[in-house]
Amino acid sequence: MGGKHSQLSPSAASRWMNCPGSVRRIQELAPDSDETSIFAAEGTAAHWVREVSLAYGFSPYDFVGTRIQADGFMFVVDEDMADHLIPGIDRIHEFEGRLFSEVRVNTTPWVGYDDDGDEQGGTVDSGVVGPEEIVISDLKYGQGVPVSPVDNKQLQLYALGFWRDIGRHHSTATRVRIIIDQPRHSAGGGEWVTTIDELKKFGQQVKRAATETRNPDAPCVPSEAACQWCPLARMDGACPEHESWKLDILGLDFDDLDSDEPPRLPDREGMTTARRRYINQHASMIRSWLDRLHADEIADLLENGPSNGVKTVAGRAGRRNHKDEKASERWLLNNGFKRFDIINKKLITVAKIDELAGKGVFPRRLVHQNDPKPIVVPLEDERPALMSEIEFEDLGCSHD
């Protein structure tokens, strides 16, 4: 199986399971579409730090100042990256069992062999095989699009491969916890618990979808999940179905809110130049209105509880900062720390102090941290629902 990129890779499962025709069309029109960006390369660097930290017992802070070359880009690990990686690493260490890091798993039993007759699979960031639970943890270092673990096709396929290759040989656990660690997005990440039996049912869905991708007449079926990362969606004329779908959803009918179809906005092609100017001129107001709708939804969920398949949960707490760096510096120096250990151009972060002194040692009175803002997630998300007795100064606008 090696490191060859799979045609039906877990990372693209949301695309090919929803749009079977995309596989052949990408092979024909965009065979070299696995392009690298500086953002993806930064994620690769962060994955390396996390992998080595987990595998060998290091702390991400041990790599501060280390230069990492990834996909043609050069990165220097800084305290900011270490701060972001620490919580996810600490969470993995909380689970009882045997830890596996950056392990390649075989998904061929569900997706089949590729066109060259080779096995297919993907790489699991981190896995823990315990007596009662199998844990899969995936780092999403990007901060652009929030990713949820609930019913996540990529992670479920990873979990199937991990259970078949490793988990079932070391444990009789029937529960699987899927974690997405997205430390740089306040509304991203989370945990979702499923079972081996449910994963097996999902595996049957995968088999049917994989079989359909081999149908020469497999349709291209546009959707948000399928098109979001599809290279064809970024190529002019490569996917007429995608273009038609974009035009089709440009309409808005508030009288049809019970429909499962996406809301419709005004037809862009038929719009007058005066109306287009009016909309662009008031874009800020429209965005504010949408943000207010989102805040209203959160307020309603806080007041009345879960509804319409969603709930509010506490998002990620804000980063901890020094209330007064001079006061923090005095405390550290008075408690045995040397100046060269705590200052490297500026005072070290609170997270780094916890690493050096131990959690709970540094006084909380010297630390400022914004409260987590409520976010909207599916009911199946493992985090507890919030209700109105928890007060928030600012509902914020973190979108699910």
Side-chain angles (χ1 to χ4, degrees):
M1 184 165 53
K4 177 182 177 182
H5 186 75
S6 297
Q7 289 175 349
L8 300 183
S9 66
S11 60
S14 289
R15 171 178 55 76
W16 57 260
M17 287 186 67
N18 289 292
C19 182
S22 65
V23 177
R24 294 297 178 195
R25 191 173 293 179
I26 288 174
Q27 290 175 342
E28 295 171 1
L29 301 180
D32 301 319
S33 59
D34 295 328
E35 57 187 34
T36 298
S37 69
I38 189 171
F39 306 108
E42 184 183 32
T44 299
H47 272 81
W48 182 86
V49 174
R50 174 173 138 136
E51 175 192 359
V52 177
S53 295
L54 283 169
Y56 300 102
F58 288 109
S59 162
Y61 295 107
D62 294 329
F63 298 97
V64 171
T66 301
R67 296 167 64 87
I68 300 176
Q69 186 169 358
D71 302 325
F73 299 92
M74 182 66 71
F75 300 93
V76 178
V77 180
D78 56 15
E79 287 193 355
D80 190 56
M81 178 181 286
D83 285 350
H84 282 123
L85 293 177
I86 278 289
I89 291 174
D90 287 347
R91 178 60 176 145
I92 294 171
H93 284 312
E94 292 177 6
F95 295 101
E96 176 188 0
R98 183 176 175 183
L99 173 66
F100 295 83
S101 184
E102 291 292 320
V103 59
R104 181 82 176 177
V105 296
N106 191 343
T107 59
T108 308
W110 299 278
V111 304
Y113 294 89
D114 67 15
D115 289 347
D116 297 324
D118 294 329
E119 293 182 331
Q120 303 194 71
T123 301
V124 173
D125 286 356
S126 304
V128 178
V129 179
E132 304 293 334
E133 188 173 67
I134 294 173
V135 180
I136 295 290
S137 176
D138 191 71
L139 174 64
K140 305 291 186 187
Y141 200 65
Q143 55 186 327
V145 178
V147 183
S148 170
V150 176
D151 200 27
N152 186 290
K153 290 179 171 57
Q154 175 189 6
L155 272 296
Q156 288 181 88
L157 195 45
Y158 278 150
L160 277 170
F162 186 76
W163 168 78
R164 180 185 179 276
D165 290 356
I166 299 172
R168 62 177 178 157
H169 302 296
H170 300 278
S171 172
T172 58
T174 59
R175 187 173 67 242
V176 177
R177 182 177 298 270
I178 292 177
I179 301 174
I180 287 183
D181 177 19
Q182 193 173 10
R184 299 199 297 169
H185 199 297
S186 61
E191 300 186 12
W192 180 57
V193 173
T194 186
T195 65
I196 298 297
D197 286 342
E198 289 300 315
L199 283 178
K200 289 179 178 178
K201 293 178 183 178
F202 172 74
Q204 295 305 309
Q205 298 177 32
V206 174
K207 286 182 179 180
R208 291 192 291 270
T211 298
E212 182 62 13
T213 66
R214 298 180 178 91
N215 178 358
D217 299 320
C220 284
V221 185
S223 67
E224 183 177 358
C227 299
Q228 185 172 33
W229 305 112
C230 180
L232 300 175
R234 301 189 294 271
M235 298 171 59
D236 290 338
C239 186
E241 293 88 349
H242 172 74
E243 295 297 327
S244 177
W245 173 68
K246 284 196 302 184
L247 293 176
D248 187 51
I249 64 173
L250 289 177
L252 189 60
D253 185 0
F254 286 112
D255 295 328
D256 195 22
L257 293 179
D258 293 331
S259 172
D260 291 332
E261 296 297 319
R264 296 180 176 275
L265 298 171
D267 185 358
R268 179 173 58 86
E269 295 297 321
M271 192 180 295
T272 65
T273 56
R275 184 175 292 276
R276 183 180 62 201
R277 173 83 289 273
Y278 180 87
I279 292 174
N280 286 330
Q281 186 177 8
H282 296 88
S284 177
M285 180 188 69
I286 294 170
R287 292 191 190 98
S288 296
W289 179 74
L290 292 173
D291 287 341
R292 191 64 251 169
L293 281 182
H294 184 71
D296 288 344
E297 180 182 28
I298 289 179
D300 183 65
L301 290 169
L302 287 171
E303 179 68 25
N304 300 308
S307 176
N308 297 317
V310 296
K311 62 182 178 180
T312 51
V313 301
R316 186 173 290 104
R319 184 176 177 180
R320 294 177 296 164
N321 296 302
H322 297 283
K323 286 183 178 179
D324 183 334
E325 286 200 1
K326 291 297 183 183
S328 294
E329 182 181 340
R330 284 195 298 272
W331 184 92
L332 290 166
L333 293 175
N334 290 336
N335 283 272
F337 289 87
K338 303 299 182 183
R339 184 176 296 276
F340 62 80
D341 287 330
I342 65 172
I343 297 179
N344 181 13
K345 295 184 179 179
K346 63 178 182 179
L347 189 65
I348 58 176
T349 63
V350 175
K352 178 62 175 177
I353 293 174
D354 279 352
E355 184 79 10
L356 295 176
K359 289 186 178 180
V361 175
F362 189 60
R364 293 185 62 183
R365 61 182 171 77
L366 298 177
V367 178
H368 169 75
Q369 183 177 29
N370 292 328
D371 292 330
K373 294 181 178 180
I375 59 175
V376 179
V377 300
L379 286 173
E380 296 84 357
D381 191 290
E382 278 292 291
R383 288 167 287 187
L386 299 176
M387 292 294 287
S388 56
E389 60 265 22
I390 299 178
E391 297 181 357
F392 292 88
E393 293 183 359
D394 179 10
L395 287 177
C397 299
S398 295
H399 297 274
D400 56 317

